[in-house]
Amino acid sequence: MKRSFIQRLKDVSITKKLYFTVGTMAVLIVVELLTLWFAIHTLSSVRAFVSAEGLWSKAQKDAVLHLKKYNRTHNEKDFLAFQNFMQVPLGDHKTRIELLKPEPNLDTARAGFLQGRIHPDDIDGMINLVRRFNQISYINKAIAVWTKGDSVIAQLIPLGNEIHKEISSVNPSNEKLHQLMNAIDPINEQLTLLEDDFSYTLGEGSRWLENIILKLLFAVALTVEITGLLITISVSRSITKGLNEIRRATTKVAEGDMTARAKVFSNDEIGEVAITMNKMTAQLIESNKELGQFAYIASHDLQEPLRSISNYADLFQKEYKGKLDENSDRYLSAILKSTARMQLLIKDMLDYSRLGHDHQLCKLDCNQLVQEVLQEMNLLIEETKTKLIIDELPVMDCYNELKLVFQNLISNAIKFRKPDTQPIITISVKKDDSTFTFSVKDNGIGIEKNYYERIFVIFQRLHNQKEFPGSGIGLAHCKKIIEMHGGEIWVESEPGRGSTFYFTIPIT
Ligand code: ADP
């Protein structure tokens, strides 16, 4: 069967899932850092262009200033200064021409910017800006202004040369010089306007770029956060879902519901634990069955020979009554007493191992159940002069085995009585919306707090066999029966002051 993409993701091991989460976050953070790096570089190139424009216009103004000065002083140094300042826009002009070629020579472009007095560290960024973004409207417009500026400033060179020629002539004509000088101011004014336009366009462009970059960074950061959050939530959900399912199933098994199984959601480590746990429960059921069968067969098969021993010993004692010596009679009585105890033990074991087979809920009258128990114990009750105080008990849905609970609790209440004290047993019941809580109270020898749990474990006994004979099965049996009903059993007691056994039966 073809597994879906989601299922295949779920089946990936937890280690890989965690690596994947951290790895994705790392990649996204690297992407964000690269974007940031790119943004800072681009903005710094725009800033470099703005300062280059400052150098360009300052050089242009100085060139004009020196040309005008040259006209006044006729000093050759001033004309040289004019030429010198004109190198700046000329260098930038060279770079622009080169960069707008389809395959520009970058060395030539760099040399042009160096001539334009641009800081060497800014040059590559500026070249990249022109090449990468010349399609962007702001850059495109700035380049157009720059081109126009180049063509206007170019007019200053022939003008300067003519002024120089006139001044260097034997008889410079003032009128011609005046005419030539008059042409400078309109060029200057035109250039000032273009310079403003260039700065304004770049300013607009950098604000636009800043805006885009901020949005881009915000989008990348949001993607990092959301992706990280989603991956973390989905990975941790799949882990906790699997663990919760295992906890649910193990709790049910621990409570005795051996049909509980953990759903397997994925084939990762948690899925494997769920599968193993399910196998373990199935194995436990098998072992329990085998053990129950063994206990049943063993106790059942023991009954037969034990009955023969007991019957023959009884017959023998009766037949030879008065003819046996005192020792033989005592030995026979001991045999009979032991076999009776063993029969009781085997009966308890058989009841215990049979529990859970063929039982069905039916409506039973608890008053009647208790009366039957009292009837069966009639002799013991009379012998011990036990006083019984019994509440009106309910008629309710329960298993037949509930009678055994009353039987065990009442017989223990009598058995563990205080010497020379009349046993008093009180049986009561309380009802709430969902549960009946029964209590069986005695005024017997009591139980220490440390043993409250232990007495419900099979074969655990607190008292000596001679004084209080028993199998140690009774209370374990009661616990199993009550749990079969979905209820609980516990004891509250104090040594020397009696015990109260409580058990609950949910109302169905
Ligand atoms: P047993 O066959 O010994 O009665 P149970 O499982 O019925 O076995 O009881 C376990 C042990 O719990 C008893 O051996 C006894 O030590 C203690 N016990 C049970 N019921 C009482 C009680 N009503 N008063 C004092 N001790 C009790």
Side-chain angles (χ1 to χ4, degrees):
M1 208 174 59
K2 240 184 156 192
R3 289 177 305 156
S4 70
F5 175 69
I6 303 256
Q7 189 54 47
R8 265 187 288 165
L9 268 189
K10 280 185 184 168
D11 291 347
V12 170
S13 79
I14 293 177
T15 326
K16 282 193 186 150
K17 274 181 199 151
L18 292 178
Y19 278 140
F20 174 72
T21 313
V22 176
T24 314
M25 296 288 288
V27 169
L28 287 172
I29 287 170
V30 168
V31 168
E32 174 145 17
L33 286 177
L34 284 177
T35 316
L36 196 66
W37 177 83
F38 179 74
I40 289 172
H41 263 248
T42 311
L43 277 176
S44 130
S45 302
V46 174
R47 189 239 348 120
F49 254 105
V50 173
S51 48
E53 186 273 330
L55 288 172
W56 192 95
S57 48
K58 187 174 179 298
Q60 177 261 317
K61 297 270 182 291
D62 282 343
V64 168
L65 206 74
H66 280 91
L67 194 58
K68 283 183 177 174
K69 196 175 169 199
Y70 175 54
N71 181 42
R72 280 195 315 275
T73 60
H74 292 197
N75 187 340
E76 204 53 26
K77 262 192 193 163
D78 290 329
F79 184 66
L80 276 176
F82 160 73
Q83 281 181 319
N84 211 9
F85 280 117
M86 282 304 285
Q87 289 306 310
V88 173
L90 283 176
D92 292 339
H93 166 79
K94 257 191 253 165
T95 304
R96 183 180 57 77
I97 298 291
E98 194 59 40
L99 288 181
L100 295 183
K101 287 180 185 166
E103 287 196 7
N105 181 334
L106 296 183
D107 286 336
T108 312
R110 279 191 200 104
F113 270 156
L114 273 178
Q115 186 184 325
R117 300 193 190 156
I118 288 167
H119 194 284
D121 289 350
D122 288 339
I123 290 177
D124 282 345
M126 289 169 71
I127 290 177
N128 286 336
L129 187 74
V130 174
R131 294 184 66 205
R132 273 192 208 124
F133 296 109
N134 62 16
Q135 294 310 317
I136 302 285
S137 66
Y138 297 102
I139 303 289
N140 200 294
K141 193 176 166 203
I143 292 174
V145 176
W146 183 6
T147 310
K148 184 90 192 292
D150 276 352
S151 72
V152 175
I153 204 170
Q155 295 169 21
L156 280 180
I157 295 170
L159 198 65
N161 285 342
E162 270 193 64
I163 292 171
H164 181 245
K165 204 169 132 200
E166 195 57 37
I167 289 175
S168 314
S169 67
V170 189
N171 262 334
S173 149
N174 275 343
E175 196 182 335
K176 191 168 183 198
L177 278 175
H178 189 68
Q179 212 179 11
L180 287 170
M181 287 311 287
N182 277 348
I184 293 178
D185 281 342
I187 295 174
N188 205 15
E189 276 160 27
Q190 225 181 326
L191 283 173
T192 309
L193 286 178
L194 287 170
E195 282 154 11
D196 285 351
D197 203 9
F198 187 83
S199 306
Y200 183 78
T201 311
L202 275 188
E204 285 270 273
S206 76
R207 274 188 291 282
W208 169 82
L209 194 65
E210 238 175 68
N211 208 355
I212 296 260
I213 286 166
L214 274 181
K215 282 184 182 150
L216 193 72
L217 282 177
F218 184 69
V220 176
L222 211 66
T223 317
V224 174
E225 304 280 312
I226 293 176
T227 319
L229 208 67
L230 286 182
I231 296 178
T232 312
I233 289 176
S234 97
V235 170
S236 68
R237 258 203 196 161
S238 86
I239 294 176
T240 41
K241 189 176 168 196
L243 287 178
N244 280 343
E245 177 60 14
I246 293 173
R247 193 181 51 196
R248 183 197 63 78
T250 42
T251 311
K252 285 211 145 194
V253 171
E255 283 168 0
D257 178 3
M258 301 303 266
T259 58
R261 294 290 181 279
K263 265 192 218 137
V264 180
F265 297 116
S266 56
N267 278 333
D268 57 7
E269 290 89 333
I270 292 179
E272 278 169 23
V273 173
I275 294 171
T276 315
M277 202 230 86
N278 288 344
K279 278 189 193 156
M280 214 169 77
T281 313
Q283 186 60 43
L284 207 64
I285 293 176
E286 271 312 301
S287 311
N288 270 352
K289 255 194 214 157
E290 279 170 24
L291 206 68
Q293 251 166 355
F294 170 76
Y296 182 75
I297 293 168
S299 350
H300 190 263
D301 288 359
L302 278 174
Q303 262 185 333
E304 209 40 50
L306 198 62
R307 207 174 292 129
S308 300
I309 296 171
S310 151
N311 287 347
Y312 281 116
D314 191 36
L315 268 178
F316 194 80
Q317 199 180 36
K318 280 179 184 150
E319 190 114 334
Y320 290 91
K321 199 168 175 133
K323 297 177 195 157
L324 291 172
D325 60 56
E326 203 182 310
N327 269 351
S328 312
D329 201 42
R330 207 157 37 88
Y331 297 155
L332 273 176
S333 297
I335 292 172
L336 280 170
K337 222 170 156 187
S338 296
T339 50
R341 251 192 55 216
M342 230 169 143
Q343 270 169 333
L344 196 76
L345 187 71
I346 286 172
K347 183 187 161 299
D348 281 354
M349 275 176 68
L350 270 176
D351 286 345
Y352 188 78
S353 58
R354 233 189 256 134
L355 197 71
H357 294 279
D358 317 322
H359 60 268
Q360 264 192 347
L361 273 181
C362 41
K363 227 172 224 358
L364 291 176
D365 181 352
C366 293
N367 299 294
Q368 201 182 324
L369 286 187
V370 171
Q371 284 315 316
E372 281 173 24
V373 170
L374 297 180
Q375 206 100 53
E376 285 158 22
M377 290 186 185
N378 195 18
L379 267 178
L380 181 67
I381 292 171
E382 273 180 15
E383 208 176 280
T384 53
K385 299 195 174 56
T386 300
K387 183 178 168 193
L388 285 140
I389 305 161
I390 304 172
D391 269 8
E392 177 68 23
L393 301 178
V395 176
M396 61 179 195
D397 282 324
C398 58
Y399 298 110
N400 276 318
E401 282 92 340
L402 194 66
K403 182 178 163 188
L404 285 172
V405 175
F406 286 114
Q407 197 175 50
N408 276 312
L409 295 182
I410 296 171
S411 73
N412 277 351
I414 301 176
K415 180 161 63 171
F416 297 102
R417 64 186 179 277
K418 277 193 281 200
D420 309 322
T421 312
Q422 181 196 18
I424 304 173
I425 303 173
T426 313
I427 302 178
S428 323
V429 68
K430 271 189 193 146
K431 185 185 174 207
D432 65 22
D433 288 349
S434 57
T435 334
F436 286 115
T437 306
F438 291 83
S439 61
V440 178
K441 182 172 188 266
D442 64 46
N443 60 340
I445 57 175
I447 301 163
E448 269 184 47
K449 204 168 180 175
N450 290 351
Y451 301 121
Y452 283 3
E453 306 261 325
R454 204 169 111 182
I455 53 173
F456 293 101
V457 177
I458 191 164
F459 301 131
Q460 293 292 331
R461 312 185 64 257
L462 309 180
H463 303 96
N464 111 17
Q465 188 63 255
K466 251 201 173 142
E467 210 180 335
F468 301 105
S471 62
I473 297 176
L475 287 181
H477 200 168
C478 292
K479 184 168 159 45
K480 224 169 151 185
I481 294 169
I482 297 302
E483 284 174 355
M484 223 162 75
H485 286 82
E488 280 177 274
I489 183 167
W490 70 99
V491 68
E492 283 171 14
S493 176
E494 221 180 291
R497 311 196 64 171
S499 316
T500 308
F501 285 83
Y502 296 91
F503 63 89
T504 57
I505 303 287
I507 299 172
T508 48

